[in-house]
Amino acid sequence: MSERSERPAAAQQEWGRVDAEGNVYVREGDGERLIAQWVGGDPAEAIALYTRRFEGLQTEVELLEQRMAAGSVAPDDAQKALTQVREQLTDAQAIGDLASLAARLEAIEPQVASLREQRKAEREQRQAESKEAKSRIVAEAEKLSTGNDWRGGADRFRQLLDEWKSLPRLSKSLDDELWHRFSSARTAYTKRRKAHFSEQSARRDEAAKVKERLIAEAESLQESTDWGPTSGRYRDLMQQWKKAGSAPRGVEDKLWKRFRAAQDVFFSARDSANAELDAEYEKNAEVKAELLIEAEALLPIKDLDAARRAWQSIADRWEQAGKVPRARIKEFEGRLRTVENAIRDAGQREWQRTDPEKSARADDMIGKLEAAIAETEAELEKARVAGDEKKVKNLTENLESRRSFLDIARKTASDFG
């Protein structure tokens, strides 16, 4: 057998061939390039091997084209992949249309440049938006830092900080400058806020001390039966309580309950005492209600002298009837004063047309009342010395009533000049 007949048969494909000596060629342009030697093997297998290598390169080009079309690759990554595939194409040991792959890579080159410009523009846009947003955050933070919204301001600063963190960084110098302004505003606000609450805490602590003193006095008064003065003192304590301001949270309510409890003890006792007095005075009210009907029957005044005599009788019996329940005092006094004013006005009119000497009648009434008052005062002094509290009480009420009628009589006398 000849030497030629002992070698494997040559193989050929559209883009490459293996000659009888085992040299593997790829076609490039009008010529061909030796890419390998295939010794002792089937030439068809060589063609298949180097064709698969081409297909691998082709797949990498297609993948890069797809990523570029989808916009899912960064410009730097695309450029790196492009360079790597180009390097693989240079003197590639592959059989196929390598020139078409190189052309496709050339077509990708401007796409990478375009993508780079696009990403740059997008980055610049994001930077501009970030700068605008951070500048707005800084402006709002600086405004907040001078305000006194201690609750809402703290929450808003937290929101602004979270928003800042979500924004892209700017150039180092600009980002640092804006951050410094934002941080300084937040620090200034925080210091003022702490100072405010510290001062507020001090005021609340002082208010608590003041209220403890007020409670101590309120509790010392709660058993008092000196109803009038003690009621007035409790009103004073309430004004001081309001003026003192709020105590710390969790303390204010407890202090108020103690203060209120002391008042409740006193006022409950006072109300009970007043209720007993009102019940005691209810019979007096029945008598005075009949006297008011009798007095109001004098109106309108037709006979002044008769009206005065009747009024004197009514006044004497009114004085003797004693006190009425507090709830009815205003009504009774108002109705009685209406009759009194009507008689006085009628007397004034009478005086204007009659002899002023009739004022002697008023003087006589004043004299009688003054004598009666002097007598009552003497009896009152004796009762006090004797320690007769019930008599002291009755005489005191009687004396107040006589003095009231003396004032009325004096007013009547003054009307006569």
Side-chain angles (χ1 to χ4, degrees), residues 52 71 89 111 135 143 151-152 167 189 224 241 258 282 296 377 381 387 402-403:
R52 285 195 300 274
L89 282 178
Q111 295 178 32
S135 297
K143 184 177 180 181
R151 303 292 181 187
L167 295 170
Y189 172 83
S224 172
W241 183 279
R258 290 173 55 197
E282 192 59 45
E296 290 170 344
E377 287 175 340
E381 184 60 26
R402 288 178 185 274
R403 285 172 175 167

Side-chain angles (χ1 to χ4, degrees), residues 167-202:
L167 295 170
R169 283 186 59 84
L170 306 174
S171 65
K172 186 178 186 309
S173 59
L174 180 56
D175 209 74
D176 287 350
E177 176 190 349
L178 291 174
W179 171 253
H180 177 72
R181 289 174 57 190
F182 175 75
S183 180
S184 297
R186 188 173 59 155
T187 299
Y189 172 83
T190 301
K191 287 182 178 179
R192 292 180 60 246
R193 183 172 181 270
K194 287 182 178 178
H196 165 77
F197 283 112
S198 176
E199 181 181 346
Q200 185 181 69
S201 178

Side-chain angles (χ1 to χ4, degrees), residues 14-60:
E14 180 183 2
W15 294 101
R17 68 185 180 86
V18 180
D19 64 13
E21 281 74 29
N23 295 315
V24 183
Y25 296 92
V26 63
R27 184 164 62 83
E28 289 183 337
D30 295 334
E32 58 183 10
R33 174 171 59 84
L34 176 65
I35 60 174
Q37 276 197 322
W38 190 264
V39 180
D42 186 352
E45 292 179 359
I47 294 296
L49 171 64
Y50 292 110
T51 299
R52 285 195 300 274
R53 289 186 178 179
F54 172 81
E55 291 170 351
L57 293 171
Q58 187 177 41
T59 297
E60 290 193 39

Side-chain angles (χ1 to χ4, degrees), residues 13 20 43 57 71 153 155 191 197 201 240 274 281 307 318 328 332:
Q13 192 255 6
L57 293 171
D155 291 338
K191 287 182 178 179
F197 283 112
S201 178
Q240 293 176 44
N274 287 336
Y281 294 156
W318 183 278
R328 307 190 71 178
F332 278 22

